[in-house]
Amino acid sequence: MNYEIIKELKTSKIVVIKIGSNILVDKDQDLKKDWLQSLVKDIQKLTEKKIKVVVVSSGAIALGKKALGKKNLNNLHDKQAAASIGQIQLSQSWQTALSKIGLQSSQILLTAEDLESRRKYLNARNTIFALLDLGVVPIINENDTTSTEEIRFGDNDKLSAVIANAISAEMLILLSDVNGLYTTDPKKNKNSKLLTNITVINKTIEGYVNKSKSSFGSGGMLAKIEAAKLCMQSDIKMIIANGLEKNSLKYINSENATWFIPQKNIRSRRHQWIWSRSTKIGVLHIDEGAAKAVSKNSSLLAIGIKKIEGKFFRGDTISIKYNSKEMARGIINYDFEDMEAIKGKKSSNIKSILGFIREDEVIHKDNLVLIS
Ligand code: GLU
């Protein structure tokens, strides 16, 4: 009996396991049934120890592509059509595999938008808790059919980290086709070293991501590191491990995978939520004075805004940049058109410019989270 991860997990705690398409589906785009059954056996070992398991499973697009007999999918609509076909097979396969060991499964399809509305986020969270209390294994995927390009998670790494955060999981395991993060591309460099224990994601670690990227296709490791940042700030251990072989959960240990161990300064749950929301909607470029104030946790005022980008509305989370570098995220009090009118102006002038004033601050300090 191996299962080193079980030694790391507490009873009644939750572990989220993310399965990449490339380990669930073979090169002919058929679902690997035996592999799935072996993973389900591993899941059973966890549930026997009263550990709750949530699965984030990719594979809908790949399976749909096969069903359509297509080699390539050229645009988003084709991918959405494929996902809509493949998701049925994906859910059924999980249901069949889990029912063989007496476990019930459920399907949850989420969009980034769902998780950005606080009300929907709390709803999704409560549903997952209800399912876990019933002993069900929720199988989650992005709702690819309704996600538009700009707001798509696009990969399930970030989605699984947001889920793990929402349900206060103790651990997130990303099963992938690589062992973890290496210092350089291991396929090109024999001396490349697997990083097994990461306690902080700094410039050095980000440098390794760039160097090793080519071996992982379209920025896969980058998305995983973004997921790791969110986990570390939320007190969740994250592991990137090789899931290609059967019973991969059984064999994960401290030597053969990359473990991200959380920092001490954990953000509040509300701040974690703000931090994890999509910020592609808009950007505020601020001046030096505002950057200093924001870095000291003061509210952001209109006077410090130099330039705005994007069409955002009151209540959206947007990115705050100083010298083109993102330094914070926050919930904005004004629509983009109003922001255009009041940027660079004193708060005392907002009413005369707009004819109304919502708040003195553009972003209140309680709704502002610094990027470390
Ligand atoms: N949601 C996509 C699918 O099920 C996968 C996204 C990803 O590869 O992370 O096909």
Side-chain angles (χ1 to χ4, degrees):
M1 143 109 180
N2 295 32
Y3 293 102
E4 201 163 299
I5 53 166
I6 290 184
K7 291 180 214 144
E8 293 285 327
L9 287 160
K10 298 188 188 79
T11 303
S12 303
K13 282 288 186 177
I14 306 169
V15 56
V16 177
I17 304 165
K18 182 251 163 179
I19 323 289
S21 305
N22 43 5
I23 54 168
L24 184 64
V25 176
D26 65 20
K27 59 178 178 359
D28 297 321
Q29 269 155 9
D30 287 315
L31 190 132
K32 287 154 64 182
K33 285 201 180 123
D34 292 348
W35 178 88
L36 181 59
Q37 206 57 55
S38 81
L39 178 73
V40 159
K41 261 218 134 69
D42 282 349
I43 290 177
Q44 186 181 27
K45 283 275 182 261
L46 303 186
T47 56
E48 279 168 5
K49 297 274 177 213
K50 303 267 179 289
I51 294 160
K52 295 175 174 150
V53 179
V54 172
V55 171
V56 175
S57 177
S58 304
I61 297 176
L63 294 172
K65 196 156 78 171
K66 168 86 178 183
L68 286 170
K70 294 216 176 199
K71 280 226 149 45
N72 295 310
L73 298 169
N74 297 324
N75 56 43
L76 179 65
H77 294 307
D78 283 352
K79 284 186 195 153
Q80 289 175 313
S84 149
I85 296 164
Q87 184 61 38
I88 302 177
Q89 192 193 342
L90 185 63
S91 280
Q92 269 177 355
S93 305
W94 275 103
Q95 189 183 38
T96 308
L98 282 161
S99 67
K100 282 193 187 149
I101 54 153
L103 284 173
Q104 181 107 39
S105 60
S106 79
Q107 173 188 266
I108 303 180
L109 299 178
L110 289 169
T111 61
E113 243 175 346
D114 289 336
L115 297 166
E116 278 167 28
S117 133
R118 183 91 181 142
R119 189 172 53 86
K120 288 191 190 171
Y121 165 90
L122 293 174
N123 264 335
R125 175 170 163 234
N126 290 340
T127 305
I128 297 171
F129 282 146
L131 288 163
L132 292 175
D133 285 345
L134 292 165
V136 175
V137 180
I139 311 292
I140 303 177
N141 196 0
E142 180 162 12
N143 193 350
D144 292 307
T145 51
T146 62
S147 296
T148 54
E149 192 85 87
E150 314 81 64
I151 52 102
R152 283 183 87 213
F153 277 111
D155 63 77
N156 279 347
D157 297 318
K158 172 94 186 284
L159 172 66
S160 57
V162 172
I163 300 283
N165 180 10
I167 58 177
S168 308
E170 193 184 5
M171 184 186 279
L172 168 63
I173 303 171
L174 302 181
L175 286 183
S176 147
D177 59 353
V178 291
N179 294 342
L181 177 62
Y182 283 86
T183 49
T184 53
D185 185 344
K187 284 190 189 139
K188 291 189 186 147
N189 186 344
K190 273 199 285 190
N191 298 327
S192 178
K193 234 176 98 248
L194 177 70
L195 300 160
T196 51
N197 189 321
I198 297 178
T199 51
V200 59
I201 300 175
N202 52 23
K203 292 255 170 327
T204 317
I205 299 294
E206 281 174 350
Y208 294 145
V209 175
N210 290 333
K211 281 192 212 143
S212 59
K213 200 165 133 188
S214 59
S215 60
F216 312 121
S218 54
M221 193 49 76
L222 205 59
K224 288 177 179 49
I225 296 299
E226 286 304 310
K229 282 184 189 167
L230 180 57
C231 285
M232 287 172 102
Q233 281 161 359
S234 319
D235 201 18
I236 300 166
K237 281 188 200 109
M238 193 188 101
I239 305 172
I240 304 172
N242 197 319
L244 283 170
E245 299 301 322
K246 285 189 194 159
N247 293 105
S248 37
L249 291 182
K250 183 173 180 177
Y251 299 113
I252 295 174
N253 64 38
S254 53
E255 306 290 307
N256 64 7
T258 301
W259 293 61
F260 294 85
I261 308 296
Q263 302 161 321
K264 294 268 179 298
N265 57 338
I266 305 303
R267 293 186 203 277
S268 74
R269 188 151 295 284
R270 180 174 169 76
H271 276 181
Q272 287 167 28
W273 174 73
I274 294 173
W275 197 87
S276 67
R277 291 176 86 193
S278 165
T279 52
K280 290 178 194 160
I281 276 167
V283 182
L284 294 183
H285 293 271
I286 62 174
D287 65 18
E288 192 182 344
K292 274 195 186 137
V294 165
S295 65
K296 287 185 191 139
N297 284 317
S298 297
S299 297
L300 180 62
L301 305 179
I303 194 154
I305 315 291
K306 283 170 44 180
K307 200 176 112 188
I308 71 161
E309 276 175 47
K311 293 190 175 166
F312 50 81
F313 296 93
R314 179 177 162 85
D316 284 338
T317 297
I318 58 167
S319 176
I320 296 154
K321 292 189 179 176
Y322 173 56
N323 275 343
S324 307
K325 194 172 177 318
E326 184 174 40
M327 66 169 294
R329 291 176 190 177
I331 300 178
I332 188 94
N333 286 333
Y334 290 90
D335 296 352
F336 72 102
E337 282 166 331
D338 298 337
M339 272 313 307
E340 201 56 73
I342 63 173
K343 71 173 190 222
K345 302 287 186 331
K346 284 192 182 146
S347 304
S348 54
N349 292 339
I350 294 181
K351 183 137 194 235
S352 62
I353 298 169
L354 298 179
F356 63 87
I357 179 155
R358 295 209 188 280
E359 259 86 29
D360 284 342
E361 313 82 15
V362 164
I363 298 179
H364 191 272
K365 60 178 177 356
D366 291 348
N367 293 329
L368 200 61
V369 185
L370 288 172
I371 310 275
S372 43

